């Protein structure tokens, strides 16, 4: 039985791990003005300054330096687990994960690599019993870190949709950073385990992440008969859909992507 956790949150702030705004190699010039090749995430500040200086439109993202690096950091401690998570939504795909569950480490590597998020997870837990508590608490902490890093969700795309194949397997993921937790998981994984990992924990991982992040998530398996391939395709599709949803919509110009004017967990 899980005891009441001790959870500490670190507010998003400028951080030495944040990447530079824009590398020289990714800038194209015209009429003496430099524009980023892909003005997403941390690159938006440069686009904002150019737009403001030229008098065209309005800034897409705030000039606050913290806006160049959306960070979430959570420490969750219970009698069953000790979890430390850091997430940078505007990262470069760096994963530093040691969960005590090798297959979950592999899946978090996919989340970082294909989402271009920097993800740090250090966890210890009662894996001598099974992986259930660690799997759950890691997902709860990642969801809380996402919630924190997203802040008021101004200017983001909000919606994400991606289908990822892996050999014979294909999985579709649709998500909405709506503030309303909901999971619909249509995976049909043919084996009870991949290595030592209980495949029932895949759905439980995403349910826990959804609960704390305030995300609506639909997962649908289109094809597949290899358990490893199905699960990995799921994480890859989730990573790309989440990347799409968290990136900035330049036309939105920093407004909340909701007709209500607010996106929240409540």
């Amino acid at each position: 039985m899980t005891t009441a956790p001790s959870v500490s949150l670190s507010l998003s702030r400028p951080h030495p791990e944040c990447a530079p705004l824009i590398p020289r190699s990714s800038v194209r010039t015209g009429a003496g003005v430099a524009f980023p090749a892909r003005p997403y995430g941390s690159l938006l500040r440069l686009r904002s300054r150019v737009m403001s200086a030229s008098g065209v439109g309005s800034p897409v993202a705030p000039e606050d330096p913290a806006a160049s690096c959306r960070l979430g950091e959570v420490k969750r401690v219970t009698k069953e687990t000790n979890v430390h998570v850091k997430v940078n939504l505007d990262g470069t795909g760096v994963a530093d994960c040691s969960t005590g569950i090798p297959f979950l480490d592999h899946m978090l590597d996919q989340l970082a690599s294909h989402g271009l998020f920097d993800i740090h997870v250090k966890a210890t837990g009662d894996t001598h019993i099974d992986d259930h508590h660690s799997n759950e608490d890691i997902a709860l902490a990642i969801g809380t870190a996402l919630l924190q890093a997203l802040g008021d969700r101004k200017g983001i795309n909000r919606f994400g949709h991606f289908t990822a194949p892996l050999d014979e397997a294909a999985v579709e993921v649709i998500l909405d950073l709506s503030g309303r937790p909901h999971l619909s998981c249509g995976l049909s994984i043919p084996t009870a385990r991949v290595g030592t990992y209980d495949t029932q924990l895949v759905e439980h991982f995403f349910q826990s992440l959804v609960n704390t992040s305030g995300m609506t998530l639909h997962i649908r398996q289109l094809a597949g008969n290899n358990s490893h391939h199905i699960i990995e395709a799921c994480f890859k599709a989730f990573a790309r859909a989440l990347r799409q949803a968290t990136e900035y919509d330049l036309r939105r110009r920093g407004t909340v992507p909701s007709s209500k004017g607010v996106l929240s967990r409540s």
Side-chain angles (χ1 to χ4, degrees):
M1 184 173 182
T2 304
T3 58
S6 169
V7 179
S8 63
L9 305 180
S10 301
L11 296 177
S12 299
R13 59 191 183 280
H15 196 281
E17 294 176 2
C18 297
L21 277 180
I22 180 166
R24 186 178 300 276
S25 60
S26 64
V27 177
R28 63 181 189 273
T29 58
V33 180
F35 289 87
R38 291 191 65 214
Y40 292 118
S42 62
L43 307 185
L44 280 168
R45 290 179 60 219
L46 177 59
R47 178 65 176 261
S48 299
R49 290 196 292 269
V50 170
M51 291 175 67
S52 298
S54 64
V56 178
S58 60
V60 177
E63 290 293 332
D64 183 346
S68 68
C69 197
R70 294 172 292 170
L71 298 174
E73 183 171 0
V74 175
K75 294 181 180 179
R76 178 184 173 89
V77 180
T78 73
K79 290 183 178 179
E80 297 165 340
T81 63
N82 187 325
V83 179
H84 181 202
V85 168
K86 291 190 289 186
V87 174
N88 177 7
L89 296 180
D90 302 305
T92 58
V94 175
D96 178 19
C97 300
S98 178
T99 66
I101 308 171
F103 186 75
L104 183 57
D105 289 344
H106 180 43
M107 292 303 102
L108 295 178
D109 287 349
Q110 306 309 309
L111 180 57
S113 176
H114 295 282
L116 289 180
F117 310 123
D118 292 344
I119 301 177
H120 168 103
V121 180
K122 299 299 178 185
T124 57
D126 55 2
T127 53
H128 60 283
I129 298 174
D130 66 10
D131 295 338
H132 184 98
H133 297 141
S134 291
N135 181 85
E136 177 182 19
D137 287 358
I138 289 163
L140 289 170
I142 291 174
T144 305
L146 284 174
L147 176 71
Q148 180 190 12
L150 285 167
D152 57 18
R153 312 189 188 200
K154 288 182 177 178
I156 64 171
N157 286 316
R158 172 179 167 180
F159 299 100
H161 181 195
F162 199 84
T163 303
L166 179 55
D167 296 349
E168 90 297 340
V171 176
E172 178 184 32
V173 169
I174 306 169
L175 63 84
D176 176 11
L177 299 176
S178 60
R180 296 183 298 273
H182 174 81
L183 174 67
S184 176
C185 185
L187 294 179
S188 180
I189 303 172
T191 63
R193 293 187 179 276
V194 174
T196 60
Y197 186 73
D198 182 351
T199 55
Q200 285 186 327
L201 296 180
V202 177
E203 181 172 352
H204 191 57
F205 177 91
F206 285 108
Q207 183 65 70
S208 300
L209 188 150
V210 159
N211 287 346
T212 50
S213 66
M215 179 190 304
T216 295
L217 177 62
H218 292 264
I219 300 170
R220 185 163 66 111
Q221 181 179 326
L222 305 178
N225 51 47
N226 180 285
S227 297
H228 189 132
H229 291 171
I230 293 165
I231 298 169
E232 187 167 337
C234 175
F235 272 83
K236 287 177 175 177
F238 175 71
R240 287 298 299 266
L242 185 60
R243 172 181 164 186
Q244 180 184 12
T246 57
E247 285 180 335
Y248 287 109
D249 179 350
L250 297 178
R251 292 181 60 196
R252 190 161 290 284
R253 305 188 181 207
T255 61
V256 175
S258 170
S259 58
K260 296 189 293 292
V262 63
L263 289 172
S264 68
R265 282 282 284 107
S266 57

